[in-house]
Amino acid sequence: MTSNLSTHRRSLLAGGAALAAAPAVAALAGGALAAPAAADQTLPDFAPVPPSALGPALNAQGYFVGRVERNLYWVTDGTYQAAFLTTRDGVVLFDAPPSIGNNLQRAIDQIAADNGVSNKVSHIVYSHHHADHLGASSLFGRDVVRIGHVETKRLLARDNDPTRPLPDVTFETRHALRVGGEHVDLAWHGTNHTPDNIYLHFPRHSALMLVDLVLPGWVPYNSFNLHEDVQGSLAAPTTALRYPWRHFIGGHMGRLGTRHDIRVYQQYVDDLIDGVTQSLTAIDPTPYFVRYGENSWAAVKTYQDAQVAFASDPVIRKYTGVLAAADVYTASSAFVLLEAIRLDLGVGSQVHP
């Protein structure tokens, strides 16, 4: 239930972001997107996005394709990312976000034409099972070898979504993918964002792909990226840094990442954890429970709102201008981290005398 809900929320909200980034879609929606907001609706203002968070401009079709290194390329629509590797035996595609959709093949065609190589997708590697990263997989037909973690296959079989065909090849901990003289190391190091999210290392291209953990230049998406295993997700960036690489493909937003991006993200999260840990003793719950009496949920909500504000306000100030959307989603991530250290680690738990 939780995984389905998370997938649905991500698809709806991220889909909305993709629409906002592609005004041409308004025409397909019959002009509805161009309708003015209701007169009594006031939308909030947010801090400007730092230029360092933005990627290259999109073309007229709404995508950008660029070289990562040698014959490894990446594609973005400004909100989602995929990657592909050209080989003498065809193209290996890594994820197939529906928001990029048919632009994936257009990007591959563009690179194939420029370099005189095949544009035929022979393999698709799934980073994890979520629809917002795989929902265009079916566009490439059945004559493609799909590869993913064993848990990815189980979850996709459960979800029964025809846009995400089941992987043909699965693995539990490691898989060495060799296609057309190229080599990619796939590995599962435990649960993080989802139970099946894997690391994709391109040793000959000095690149690592790890989706939905670090969004270079940006704070995490709503509610700490909707990570299903918060503790596993906190450990994942350290695991990522153990690999040798220069280029990071995070699956989201408009640019590639660097090792520095990972470290900035880690410091941001550490600052939030420090704040929520301090809030457990700095905020006295008594006034909230006195004020709301029998309405326990009102007392808990306002108490936790105060804790979240205590933890997130200084982090928002520190990272505004450093990470995009620090003022948008930091509070929701603070709440998730507050609950994680309380429930997972037992910090702040009190035993009744």
Side-chain angles (χ1 to χ4, degrees):
M1 175 69 79
T2 300
S3 180
N4 283 336
L5 178 61
S6 296
T7 299
H8 183 61
R9 289 173 65 196
R10 285 186 65 84
S11 298
L12 285 177
L13 293 170
L19 291 179
V25 178
L28 300 177
L33 295 178
D40 60 348
Q41 181 180 10
T42 302
L43 296 178
D45 293 321
F46 294 106
V49 173
S52 60
L54 299 175
L58 307 181
N59 62 18
Q61 288 75 40
Y63 72 89
F64 169 84
V65 59
R67 189 190 305 272
V68 179
E69 195 164 303
R70 295 179 48 240
N71 56 331
L72 175 65
Y73 299 87
W74 69 293
V75 188
T76 183
D77 60 1
T79 303
Y80 280 84
Q81 299 175 356
F84 63 90
L85 191 62
T86 60
T87 82
R88 61 173 180 255
D89 294 333
V91 176
V92 183
L93 177 62
F94 303 90
D95 278 357
S99 72
I100 305 179
N102 285 294
N103 278 336
L104 289 168
Q105 187 63 61
R106 294 185 184 103
I108 292 168
D109 291 346
Q110 176 182 334
I111 296 301
D114 289 346
N115 296 288
V117 296
S118 172
N119 68 345
K120 168 65 176 174
V121 175
S122 61
H123 296 72
I124 302 178
V125 178
Y126 291 173
S127 66
H128 65 301
H129 72 285
H130 278 168
D132 62 331
H133 291 278
L134 302 185
S137 176
S138 61
L139 296 178
F140 297 90
R142 298 301 310 180
D143 189 24
V144 173
V145 177
R146 292 172 169 85
I147 303 163
H149 190 260
V150 290
E151 185 69 0
T152 300
K153 184 171 185 177
R154 187 191 72 79
L155 291 167
L156 290 177
R158 177 204 65 185
D159 296 342
N160 192 28
D161 177 4
T163 70
R164 295 173 285 164
L166 301 184
D168 307 289
V169 177
T170 61
F171 66 97
E172 291 188 358
T173 55
R174 294 186 181 275
H175 179 75
L177 176 62
R178 300 183 186 277
V179 179
E182 298 296 337
H183 171 215
V184 184
D185 291 322
L186 312 179
W188 180 80
H189 294 294
T191 62
N192 47 72
H193 175 63
T194 61
D196 59 324
N197 203 31
I198 63 172
Y199 298 68
L200 301 89
H201 185 225
F202 304 83
R204 298 176 183 174
H205 304 83
S206 193
L208 182 76
M209 184 171 183
L210 178 62
V211 173
D212 281 338
L213 264 299
V214 179
L215 316 182
W218 294 74
V219 302
Y221 171 74
N222 196 8
S223 302
F224 199 45
N225 260 2
L226 294 175
H227 293 319
E228 295 182 31
D229 180 350
V230 173
Q231 301 305 325
S233 297
L234 292 174
T238 298
T239 301
L241 287 172
R242 292 193 184 111
Y243 283 90
W245 55 267
R246 289 193 303 274
H247 316 288
F248 181 78
I249 306 167
H252 277 286
M253 312 319 286
R255 70 169 175 85
L256 296 176
T258 65
R259 300 181 78 87
H260 176 70
D261 287 315
I262 305 291
R263 296 187 182 100
V264 171
Y265 166 84
Q266 288 179 307
Q267 186 59 61
Y268 168 85
V269 173
D270 286 346
D271 288 344
L272 270 181
I273 291 174
D274 287 345
V276 296
T277 302
Q278 292 173 36
S279 77
L280 291 168
T281 55
I283 306 298
D284 180 7
T286 306
Y288 306 95
F289 285 88
V290 170
R291 168 66 177 82
Y292 293 104
E294 294 179 347
N295 192 342
S296 296
W297 278 170
V300 170
K301 180 188 185 305
T302 53
Y303 171 48
Q304 291 188 318
D305 285 348
Q307 292 176 305
V308 165
F310 177 92
S312 62
D313 287 354
V315 175
I316 292 171
R317 289 193 296 271
K318 178 177 178 179
Y319 289 91
T320 294
V322 178
L323 292 176
D327 56 335
V328 179
Y329 281 143
T330 295
S332 69
S333 288
F335 173 76
V336 171
L337 291 167
L338 171 67
E339 291 298 272
I341 68 168
R342 187 176 70 86
L343 300 176
D344 295 341
L345 305 182
V347 177
S349 293
Q350 299 178 2
V351 177
H352 191 279

